[in-house]
């Protein structure tokens, strides 16, 4: 057996593949055209109405260029709207639309439910431990990321 099967990077990449596959399959089964990043963006805009794209990118640890396309697709689906900032005319604030709020309400239970399939094979105690270890490792390595998670700015 190749040594890669004992390497954290390989196993994490595989778990990410599994996670994205489970998400895509469940969304398709439920009749939704949605990606994990779109869900993260929609959830974060809901929790932080009026934030700008750069802040959104930092809050979900995604690169700004890719996130621009994600927001474009969400806007095209009429789930978010961009408004000119009242404090900086160059900036655009993001808000959930009524349709976006309804969509998010439909998606949240589906996404919550599919989490169990991502860590299939682990019992509840192991899932709790895995989540704590993932949180610890991602927090410690945050600054090593090309798109680190950035804390929300306090206004």
């Amino acid at each position: 057996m190749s040594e890669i099967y004992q390497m954290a990077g390989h196993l994490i990449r595989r778990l990410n593949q599994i996670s994205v596959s489970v998400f895509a399959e469940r969304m398709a089964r439920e009749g939704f055209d949605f990606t994990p990043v779109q869900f993260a963006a929609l959830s974060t805009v809901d929790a932080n109405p009026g934030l700008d794209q750069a802040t959104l990118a930092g809050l979900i640890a995604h690169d700004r260029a890719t996130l621009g396309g994600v927001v474009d697709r969400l806007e095209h689906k009429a789930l978010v709207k961009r408004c000119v900032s009242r404090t900086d005319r160059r900036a655009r604030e993001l808000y959930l639309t009524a349709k976006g709020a309804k969509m998010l309400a439909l998606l949240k239970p589906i996404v919550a439910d599919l989490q169990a399939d991502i860590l299939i094979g682990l019992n509840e105690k192991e899932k709790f431990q895995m989540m704590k270890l993932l949180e610890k490792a991602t927090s410690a390595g945050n600054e090593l990321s090309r798109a680190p998670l950035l804390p929300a700015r306090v206004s």
Side-chain angles (χ1 to χ4, degrees):
M1 186 181 274
S2 175
E3 64 190 22
I4 65 168
Y5 300 116
Q6 300 301 311
M7 292 182 172
H10 178 74
L11 293 172
I12 292 165
R13 182 187 62 78
R14 289 284 300 125
L15 188 56
N16 182 61
Q17 286 177 317
I18 292 164
S19 174
V20 171
S21 179
V22 165
F23 190 99
E25 185 279 327
R26 189 70 58 87
M27 287 295 129
R29 184 180 347 146
E30 298 291 337
F32 296 108
D33 177 23
F34 239 78
T35 67
V37 178
Q38 289 174 338
F39 177 77
L42 202 63
S43 295
T44 305
V45 170
D46 180 51
N48 302 276
L51 80 169
D52 60 82
Q53 273 183 215
T55 302
L56 176 59
L59 290 174
I60 65 172
H62 227 283
D63 65 278
R64 290 180 185 187
T66 300
L67 193 67
V70 170
V71 172
D72 288 345
R73 285 184 286 286
L74 292 174
E75 186 176 39
H76 182 73
K77 292 178 179 183
L79 302 175
V80 298
K81 63 181 175 180
R82 291 179 173 128
C83 299
V84 175
S85 169
R86 286 169 265 136
T87 58
D88 180 355
R89 307 278 312 150
R90 298 168 296 169
R92 300 290 180 265
E93 297 174 344
L94 300 171
Y95 296 92
L96 232 56
T97 62
K99 183 179 177 182
K102 288 178 186 174
M103 177 63 74
L104 187 58
L106 291 172
L107 294 176
K108 278 184 175 184
I110 298 168
V111 173
D113 185 58
L114 69 83
Q115 299 306 305
D117 292 342
I118 294 169
L119 297 179
I120 196 164
L122 300 181
N123 64 37
E124 291 307 310
K125 182 179 178 185
E126 291 167 332
K127 288 177 186 176
F128 179 80
Q129 291 170 326
M130 176 77 162
M131 291 303 298
K132 289 298 177 194
L133 291 172
L134 287 170
E135 289 169 4
K136 184 176 182 179
T138 55
S139 179
N142 188 52
E143 295 307 315
L144 303 174
S145 174
R146 290 183 180 163
L149 182 68
L150 301 175
R153 297 180 200 149
V154 179
S155 302

